[in-house]
Amino acid sequence: MNMLVYIDRGIIASNGVNGDKASQRRAAYGIVGEFDLSLTQDGFLATAFMVGLLVSAPLFAEASKHYPALRLMAVGLAAWILSTAGCAFTIGYYSMLTCRMVVGLGEASFVSLASPLIDDSAPPARKSRWLATFYLCIPVGYAAGYILGGVIAPALGWRAAFLLEAAAMMPFAVFCAVGPALDLKGKQHHTGPVNSNSELGTSFGEKLQRGVASALVDLKTLAKHPVYVLNVAATAVYTGVLGAYAYWGPKAGAKVFTLNPEGADLKFGAVTVATGVVGTILGGVALDRVGSTMRNALTICCISNVLGALLLVASFAAASSFAMFVPYFAVGQLALFSIQAPSNAVALWSVPPLLRPFGMAILIICIHLGGDVPSPPALGWLQSKLDNWRLSMPVCSLFLLLAAAICAAGAVLACREPDYRDEQQLSADNTTPDSDELGSADESAHLPLLTEPETSERTPLHSEDV
């Protein structure tokens, strides 16, 4: 499912599907050619999914407190299937733009709930590797989308690419709809009778008001967890640098080393795919090997950000040829992709179980709004002022040192902050049928959500104790 989500991102960006206007050498083709789009309009198609994603991700996260995760994912994936298939039947720019926005709505259910579901299901000693496998679908999916778009569009037309990816997602949506009704840990369970008359008498406006109030309470609760806040801030900075490199890297490399533009795309793409797969898996394996604690995860992120910053600066500022550039650039990207699994693991482990879906939704919103959405135009503005890619790209890379400093601060705080994953696991392991303990547990079940009992026989388990 995650692979197909990112294949869609690659397909709409591929030359075969995205296309171009007519030129002396070739007739108009693809979306741009058929709808006669400007560069600005084309750029909005690439980011339109963010509208649906940002609006609906918190809603799905809140809904996961009351409904099974897989059922919610089925609803979202159904919207994704309809909107991607709708792209094949669009008649103009605005209908295409609308479909791309709804794609983001469908994607939101998946990106908010899949990571907590994996964290619940994975064996304790392999959680980081499972998350790494999940996140390596990002670079592989993009690359597969580029390839599929380039193969399908010339043979069947650009519209066929969207129909085929929609058809490929249908079995997964059906599985989520009819498969086991899996709940996320921390989901609310109603143990008493439900007043159906009261629920039926509640208007949509009242339900919406309660939902917004609940989201605001959750947001305030997240803000009280400093490790989570620092991890989000560091990930936003890191994502901003990655986004700037993804957009401007091939063009900057072509200018600096006088490469053919198409050749630059291919070479940068190949390096990104290879380093993305190896780096993402390496980060997860490394965290499992050294011990999957929040402190170790943030330490890996800190070291990788520093190493990535130094190597990317050297690749553009010091390399005198493309042959010298590639090793610096490849190892630098390898270091950056190794951050994926540890940073997302911290986002899951640093907040109470009930807040993990909402925490992932807020993480996604922050890293896009504060990261890869503003960074490409910001770097473009900087380059227009400096007119020197050998200077502007290293300046962008230096922001990774800021991310490293934030990770270091988070690693220090992680020694004192609770690891909620381990608290929950320890609590489950220590559960016995003793009547006194069962009575105690029953009483605590009626306490307000996300609050701790006033007295406890156990102190919170910290990441340094694991």
Side-chain angles (χ1 to χ4, degrees):
M1 288 184 280
N2 198 34
M3 182 79 74
L4 283 171
V5 165
Y6 285 95
I7 283 176
D8 172 70
R9 305 263 192 98
I11 280 178
I12 197 170
S14 65
N15 285 321
V17 172
N18 192 255
D20 202 355
K21 295 182 179 182
S23 64
Q24 293 181 347
R25 296 183 300 173
R26 185 171 184 175
Y29 68 101
I31 298 172
V32 173
E34 184 168 334
F35 297 148
D36 192 28
L37 304 184
S38 66
L39 291 175
T40 301
Q41 289 175 317
D42 188 24
F44 279 124
L45 287 182
T47 58
F49 79 96
M50 288 298 304
V51 176
L53 182 68
L54 297 180
V55 170
S56 56
L59 300 180
F60 278 109
E62 284 295 313
S64 69
K65 297 178 182 177
H66 309 281
Y67 303 99
L70 282 185
R71 299 296 182 263
L72 293 172
M73 289 168 61
V75 173
L77 291 178
W80 189 94
I81 290 168
L82 291 174
S83 55
T84 51
C87 292
F89 298 101
T90 51
I91 58 174
Y93 172 66
Y94 290 104
S95 57
M96 174 63 80
L97 191 67
T98 301
C99 286
R100 298 310 300 174
M101 290 179 184
V102 182
V103 166
L105 184 150
E107 185 179 330
S109 66
F110 185 73
V111 299
S112 300
L113 306 178
S115 298
L117 199 59
I118 291 172
D119 191 48
D120 287 347
S121 306
R126 295 177 178 268
K127 285 183 182 289
S128 301
R129 271 173 276 189
W130 280 41
L131 288 170
T133 302
F134 177 72
Y135 285 108
L136 73 83
C137 293
I138 297 176
V140 175
Y142 265 114
Y146 294 147
I147 296 170
L148 291 172
V151 172
I152 295 171
L156 303 175
W158 65 266
R159 296 176 185 271
F162 292 110
L163 289 175
L164 290 173
E165 68 177 8
M169 185 65 86
M170 289 182 68
F172 298 104
V174 171
F175 168 76
C176 291
V178 303
L182 298 179
D183 290 331
L184 296 177
K185 290 180 180 178
K187 173 181 173 289
Q188 294 182 21
H189 294 277
H190 297 286
T191 55
V194 178
N195 189 340
S196 58
N197 293 329
S198 174
E199 288 296 319
L200 290 174
T202 304
S203 67
F204 174 77
E206 291 173 332
K207 291 180 180 179
L208 179 62
Q209 186 176 8
R210 284 195 316 217
V212 171
S214 176
L216 290 176
V217 170
D218 289 347
L219 193 60
K220 291 179 181 178
T221 306
L222 286 178
K224 295 177 181 178
H225 292 79
V227 174
Y228 172 83
V229 172
L230 290 172
N231 181 62
V232 169
T235 307
V237 176
Y238 151 80
T239 304
V241 175
L242 274 186
Y245 264 86
Y247 192 82
W248 292 113
K251 181 173 289 186
K255 292 289 186 182
V256 171
F257 300 108
T258 60
L259 303 175
N260 176 273
E262 289 77 12
D265 288 339
L266 180 61
K267 292 171 183 177
F268 272 77
V271 171
T272 300
V273 171
T275 57
V277 172
V278 176
T280 304
I281 295 176
L282 182 63
V285 171
L287 181 56
D288 283 336
R289 289 289 179 87
V290 300
S292 55
T293 66
M294 293 194 300
R295 180 177 60 179
N296 289 342
L298 287 166
T299 301
I300 290 174
C301 293
C302 176
I303 295 172
S304 297
N305 272 305
V306 172
L307 184 61
L310 297 177
L311 290 170
L312 291 181
V313 167
S315 67
F316 274 97
S320 58
S321 65
F322 189 73
M324 185 181 295
F325 165 86
V326 169
Y328 285 116
F329 184 73
V331 179
Q333 280 209 316
L334 187 76
L336 294 186
F337 280 116
S338 69
I339 294 172
Q340 292 271 7
S343 65
N344 282 281
V346 172
L348 291 169
W349 301 340
S350 59
V351 296
L354 185 62
L355 276 182
R356 290 179 305 162
F358 190 75
M360 292 304 295
I362 296 301
L363 171 68
I364 292 164
I365 291 172
C366 290
I367 66 174
H368 288 307
L369 289 183
D372 55 2
V373 169
S375 64
L379 180 56
W381 174 85
L382 180 64
Q383 170 61 16
S384 69
K385 298 298 182 182
L386 299 178
D387 194 26
N388 185 351
W389 286 113
R390 284 190 179 273
L391 183 57
S392 57
M393 295 302 284
V395 169
C396 173
S397 304
L398 290 175
F399 277 90
L400 292 171
L401 297 179
L402 173 61
I406 299 173
C407 289
V412 173
L413 287 178
C415 298
R416 303 193 297 269
E417 293 296 312
D419 183 331
Y420 289 93
R421 165 202 53 163
D422 295 313
E423 283 186 2
Q424 187 181 49
Q425 182 178 340
L426 183 61
S427 176
D429 292 342
N430 290 338
T431 300
T432 67
D434 182 83
S435 59
D436 294 337
E437 292 182 6
L438 289 174
S440 165
D442 183 67
E443 291 175 3
S444 65
H446 294 282
L447 290 171
L449 291 172
L450 303 182
T451 58
E452 297 293 335
E454 292 182 2
T455 60
S456 175
E457 297 179 2
R458 179 174 59 84
T459 59
L461 180 66
H462 297 269
S463 61
E464 65 180 346
D465 298 325
V466 179

